[in-house]
Amino acid sequence: MIEIKRVTNTQQLEQFIQFYYDLYRDNEYAVPYVYLDEKATLRRDKNPSFECCEAEYFLALNNNKVVGRVAAIINHRANERWNRRAVRFGWFDFIDDIEVSTALLKAVEDWGKEKGMTEIVGPMGFIDTDREGMLVEGFDQLSTMYINYNHPYYPRHIERIEGFEKDNDYLEYKVKVPEVVPDKFAKTTQLVQKRYGLSVHKFTRHELLKEGFGREVFHLLNATYKDLYGFSELSQAQIDKLVNDYIKIADLNLVTAIMDGDKMVGFGITFPSLSRALQKGCDGRLLPFGWWQMLKALKWHKTNIVDLLLIGVLPEYRSKGANALIFDDLIRQFQRYGFEWAETGPQMESNEHVLSQWQYLESTNHRRHRCYKKVINEK
């Protein structure tokens, strides 16, 4: 018999987090998430997303052994933005037992119904910068710390459960860093700079943390991501957390801004890949030795892969070629650091404008993530 237990204390939350590490230990493609980050995201007193979200976490147990987990989340801001009454499921992991996966999703559905929700969607996090989607293609590809990795049986399970269907797909690309900046980017950069007066700006730490440009990056993200699937506008508290989590530790050579005079109109944030570093750590814990692996990747770039974390350009500047300036600058930085490959973040399969930019580079669509939905209450 599978028992579903709601997480109600710190010990159970730690079991909830630990289950992923136990399930994927020694998997050559999965990347352990940073344990402290996971804990901070799931704690109501640490994650500012709880100002617009509510959540419950569930464990599946068999003879008192954890065999699965799931988070049930309602993002009220997103539901209002998209006129939906959706309960999200995330942190969805389980052994290869259909009884376990079914029971976990049933727990989310039941809680969602109690809250007046009419559909269940996921995997999704609290906000758009959390991990989204279930891996459905690319199980033999090294993952990153920013996306979900799961066993091939996951989508087989959810597609067996009555009522679930595809809601949205994300594509990710592996991109060869060229030895020479492609003519398309180099020529467009010169044209854009001359015709529109746009320029590349490399931030100082003081500008980002003390002069407010770090916050401005994420205000710009709000404007550029506002029409993407499931997006809810970031609040100031959420922005401050993102600045603290990413901007404070970023290598600023790998952060690029596009300026129209004093106005920021685009940005690109990239990080050396931490995938292998995290795999060498112990269950995502930085102490006692995990920090050293992370430091080698972040500061000394002991990796040949760079992650394209966030890229955004205001809609009115996309047609002006602002994206080309970002790529022209970042490719030169990647060459200088000796990166050989770049990993894109998830991009909606319907976002033709974004997907089309990879045609100018040697690239392969090597992973696909999917969000599912199911009606749970008739409106």
Side-chain angles (χ1 to χ4, degrees):
M1 289 291 294
I2 302 302
E3 177 189 3
I4 299 298
K5 179 179 292 187
R6 189 173 301 199
V7 172
T8 59
N9 57 49
T10 300
Q11 181 182 9
Q12 291 170 340
L13 181 61
E14 290 173 351
Q15 288 181 300
F16 183 93
I17 297 170
Q18 184 62 38
F19 179 70
Y20 183 87
Y21 304 113
D22 295 339
L23 188 63
Y24 287 93
R25 187 171 289 116
D26 299 326
N27 184 294
E28 62 180 308
Y29 306 114
V31 173
Y33 311 122
V34 177
Y35 185 90
L36 289 177
D37 288 349
E38 288 291 277
K39 196 168 186 179
T41 298
L42 294 167
R43 281 179 52 170
R44 291 163 176 79
D45 60 334
K46 297 290 186 180
N47 187 350
S49 294
F50 278 96
E51 66 187 18
C52 66
C53 297
E54 56 182 308
E56 293 288 351
Y57 313 130
F58 299 94
L59 291 170
L61 297 102
N62 188 351
N63 293 324
N64 292 319
K65 179 183 178 181
V66 177
V67 292
R69 67 172 190 174
V70 71
I73 301 166
I74 298 174
N75 183 322
H76 295 286
R77 188 181 296 152
N79 280 349
E80 182 178 353
R81 165 69 176 84
W82 297 100
N83 193 28
R84 300 179 79 168
R85 286 188 283 164
V87 55
R88 303 175 172 197
F89 66 93
W91 284 265
F92 183 41
D93 295 291
F94 47 91
I95 64 170
D96 190 4
D97 184 330
I98 190 68
E99 186 180 355
V100 174
S101 54
T102 301
L104 287 167
L105 289 176
K106 181 67 163 52
V108 177
E109 288 185 35
D110 289 345
W111 183 74
K113 289 178 180 179
E114 290 175 13
K115 296 290 183 176
M117 300 298 105
T118 60
E119 59 182 342
I120 176 174
V121 297
M124 298 183 73
F126 294 91
I127 57 176
D128 198 60
T129 51
D130 293 330
R131 299 183 296 271
E132 296 181 324
M134 179 179 288
L135 186 66
V136 296
E137 295 176 9
F139 301 103
D140 61 349
Q141 299 293 315
L142 178 65
S143 190
T144 80
M145 66 179 291
Y146 312 107
I147 63 174
N148 285 321
Y149 182 86
N150 53 259
H151 290 302
Y153 62 77
Y154 279 41
R156 293 200 296 268
H157 277 233
I158 199 166
E159 288 163 14
R160 282 180 59 188
I161 300 173
E162 184 177 358
F164 278 99
E165 60 183 6
K166 170 184 169 180
D167 197 26
N168 181 64
D169 269 17
Y170 299 98
L171 307 182
E172 293 129 52
Y173 287 78
K174 184 176 183 179
V175 184
K176 179 77 171 137
V177 175
E179 296 181 3
V180 178
V181 176
D183 284 345
K184 171 67 177 179
F185 296 139
K187 291 179 179 178
T188 302
T189 293
Q190 294 176 3
L191 178 65
V192 168
Q193 289 173 326
K194 182 177 180 180
R195 179 176 297 177
Y196 301 112
L198 303 185
S199 61
V200 169
H201 181 72
K202 306 302 283 187
F203 287 117
T204 64
R205 196 79 60 186
H206 187 272
E207 286 177 316
L208 287 167
L209 301 180
K210 302 299 184 182
E211 297 183 17
F213 281 97
R215 287 180 170 182
E216 185 60 29
V217 166
F218 291 101
H219 287 304
L220 188 61
L221 183 145
N222 274 337
T224 58
Y225 285 36
K226 64 183 177 66
D227 295 324
L228 297 184
Y229 173 84
F231 184 75
S232 64
E233 182 174 302
L234 298 171
S235 69
Q236 196 57 62
Q238 290 169 321
I239 287 173
D240 288 343
K241 185 176 187 301
L242 289 167
V243 170
N244 186 69
D245 289 350
Y246 295 107
I247 299 299
K248 273 191 175 181
I249 64 172
D251 180 333
L252 298 187
N253 289 324
L254 301 178
V255 177
T256 298
I258 305 302
M259 308 295 290
D260 184 356
D262 295 331
K263 177 184 178 183
M264 191 193 313
V265 300
F267 66 88
I269 301 175
T270 65
F271 269 67
S273 172
L274 300 177
S275 295
R276 292 301 186 194
L278 286 165
Q279 287 183 331
K280 293 176 182 178
C282 180
D283 285 359
R285 290 168 172 81
L286 300 184
L287 295 175
F289 304 116
W291 66 272
W292 177 244
Q293 301 296 336
M294 296 275 281
L295 188 64
K296 287 197 294 184
L298 283 171
K299 298 299 183 184
W300 300 310
H301 314 113
K302 298 298 183 180
T303 174
N304 66 344
I305 303 172
V306 61
D307 291 332
L308 308 183
L309 187 55
L310 293 170
I311 296 176
V313 174
L314 288 174
E316 60 268 32
Y317 286 87
R318 293 169 192 163
S319 60
K320 295 180 178 180
N323 295 63
L325 273 74
I326 296 174
F327 283 106
D328 180 84
D329 179 72
L330 288 177
I331 287 171
R332 296 177 195 277
Q333 304 297 330
F334 298 164
Q335 292 168 339
R336 186 160 67 89
Y337 282 158
F339 295 131
E340 299 175 17
W341 297 94
E343 290 270 358
T344 76
Q347 302 148 93
M348 291 173 58
E349 66 175 350
S350 59
N351 195 339
E352 296 179 0
H353 173 79
V354 170
L355 297 178
S356 66
Q357 63 195 350
W358 308 120
Q359 66 183 297
Y360 305 109
L361 297 162
E362 183 182 334
S363 62
T364 304
N365 171 211
H366 66 321
R367 279 193 300 264
R368 179 185 293 263
H369 282 80
R370 179 164 297 161
C371 284
Y372 294 87
K373 68 177 180 181
K374 174 186 175 182
V375 174
I376 57 174
N377 267 334
E378 295 298 333
K379 296 182 180 180

